[in-house]
Amino acid sequence: MRVIITGATGFVGGEVVRQAIANERITHAFVVTRKPLPGDIPKSDKITVVEHKDFSAWPPEILEQLAGTEGCIWAVGGRTTQFPDLETARKVSVDYTLAAANAFVAELAPKLPESQKFRFVFCSGKFAEWNQEKSLKMMEDTRKIKGQVEKGLCDIADANKEKFEVWAVRPGGIIKKYANLMNLLTVNTVGIIEVDNLAKAMLKITLDGHADRIIESSALLKI
């Protein structure tokens, strides 16, 4: 399978690239990034780096490089506290993600065989909230932004059922592989997952799909 990976300069996306290299079922990965890849990501003939500075727009010269891809693992975003302000958080998390999904539906999905759908896997977070009017006691902005992206992606998929399908994974927390004992004791109890297992799970969902469109942390740990 030929896939697109975003967020590769980050914690999750970088691990997705590593696991894609190791996965024999991934024949090629197009890593779309605004910055050079970190030096700790191995070099591989399976990886093509596509430099793209503005994720809010997907011009023909970028989409032409991605022609023939069958799915995307989207790992751009994060907690609102990781951004300078809420407006920037919404732009990166919501606008960039939905702009990409719409572009892939319009330009990449039609190039696949008639019976095949383009697959989009989004790294969301536990307790993502679709209801933008609901009052939340903790991490309100982050949870609502994640929920807004999930709903937007599902709306796109519902409007393009013959050629596009979406999954959102909701890890409760993400820790480094080979984490210390205290961190490992929390795995499987509060939905925390090691980053390598999260990356493997997202790749498996991209390859094989999943029965549930929204994959909660408890189900994610079983993949």
Side-chain angles (χ1 to χ4, degrees), residues 126 169-173 190-193 215-222:
K126 192 172 184 178
V169 299
R170 290 181 171 181
V190 293
I192 291 176
I193 187 170
I215 304 170
E216 299 288 356
S217 55
S218 56
L220 185 59
L221 289 165
K222 299 174 183 178

XYZ file of all heavy atoms in Angstrom, residues 126 169-173 190-193 215-222:
128
model
N -8.389 11.138 23.464
C -9.457 10.686 24.354
C -10.320 11.869 24.796
O -9.820 12.966 25.027
C -8.849 9.993 25.577
C -9.856 9.223 26.420
C -9.147 8.408 27.489
C -10.151 7.565 28.278
N -9.472 6.713 29.293
N -8.543 7.816 15.783
C -8.087 7.077 16.963
C -7.992 8.044 18.137
O -7.588 9.191 17.990
C -6.737 6.372 16.714
C -6.878 5.366 15.578
C -5.622 7.363 16.403
N -8.372 7.550 19.323
C -8.429 8.394 20.512
C -7.552 7.849 21.638
O -8.060 7.325 22.631
C -9.866 8.525 20.998
C -10.774 9.346 20.107
C -12.160 9.413 20.731
N -13.036 10.354 20.029
C -14.300 10.599 20.396
N -14.811 9.964 21.440
N -15.026 11.463 19.712
N -6.240 7.968 21.522
C -5.383 7.516 22.628
C -5.614 8.361 23.870
O -5.850 9.566 23.791
C -3.970 7.716 22.072
C -4.113 8.794 21.035
C -5.469 8.580 20.429
N -5.546 7.714 25.046
C -5.702 8.456 26.287
C -4.454 9.224 26.666
O -4.483 10.174 27.426
N -3.356 8.805 26.139
C -2.065 9.435 26.373
C -1.033 8.638 25.595
O -1.265 7.459 25.293
N -5.619 3.448 31.872
C -6.244 4.744 31.565
C -6.161 5.059 30.077
O -6.345 6.193 29.671
C -5.608 5.893 32.396
C -5.932 5.716 33.858
C -4.098 5.969 32.179
N -5.873 4.048 29.278
C -5.849 4.248 27.834
C -4.560 4.787 27.293
O -4.491 5.185 26.129
N -3.524 4.819 28.114
C -2.223 5.283 27.630
C -1.606 4.202 26.752
O -1.721 3.012 27.026
C -1.300 5.635 28.814
C -1.824 6.899 29.521
C 0.143 5.839 28.358
C -1.055 7.274 30.759
N -0.926 4.615 25.694
C -0.351 3.667 24.743
C 1.062 4.111 24.393
O 1.363 5.312 24.328
C -1.234 3.581 23.473
C -0.761 2.475 22.534
C -1.293 4.926 22.748
C -1.733 2.192 21.389
N -12.322 5.170 17.185
C -11.691 4.066 17.904
C -11.190 4.587 19.250
O -10.204 5.306 19.330
C -10.545 3.472 17.059
C -11.085 3.045 15.683
C -9.900 2.288 17.795
C -10.008 2.664 14.697
N -11.930 4.222 20.290
C -11.607 4.698 21.639
C -10.322 4.041 22.136
O -9.856 3.026 21.610
C -12.759 4.404 22.592
C -14.076 5.087 22.218
C -14.056 6.603 22.454
O -13.052 7.117 22.986
O -15.062 7.250 22.104
N -9.770 4.604 23.205
C -8.471 4.163 23.695
C -8.482 2.690 24.077
O -7.492 1.972 23.835
C -8.041 5.023 24.894
O -9.028 5.004 25.911
N -9.570 2.197 24.661
C -9.621 0.792 25.070
C -9.549 -0.140 23.870
O -8.873 -1.179 23.916
C -10.899 0.521 25.865
O -12.044 0.886 25.113
N -10.225 0.216 22.800
C -10.183 -0.598 21.581
C -8.847 -0.444 20.859
O -8.323 -1.404 20.279
C -11.328 -0.189 20.636
N -8.273 0.749 20.925
C -6.994 1.011 20.260
C -5.894 0.118 20.833
O -5.029 -0.376 20.104
C -6.635 2.487 20.447
C -5.406 3.034 19.749
C -5.512 2.855 18.249
C -5.226 4.509 20.097
N -5.946 -0.119 22.140
C -4.924 -0.937 22.799
C -4.974 -2.395 22.362
O -4.010 -3.133 22.530
C -5.100 -0.859 24.322
C -4.721 0.490 24.961
C -5.278 0.573 26.368
C -3.217 0.693 24.952
N -6.098 -2.816 21.772
C -6.262 -4.215 21.370
C -5.864 -4.480 19.925
O -5.874 -5.624 19.485
C -7.712 -4.644 21.607
C -8.154 -4.562 23.060
C -9.630 -4.863 23.206
C -10.093 -4.711 24.646
N -11.555 -4.950 24.803
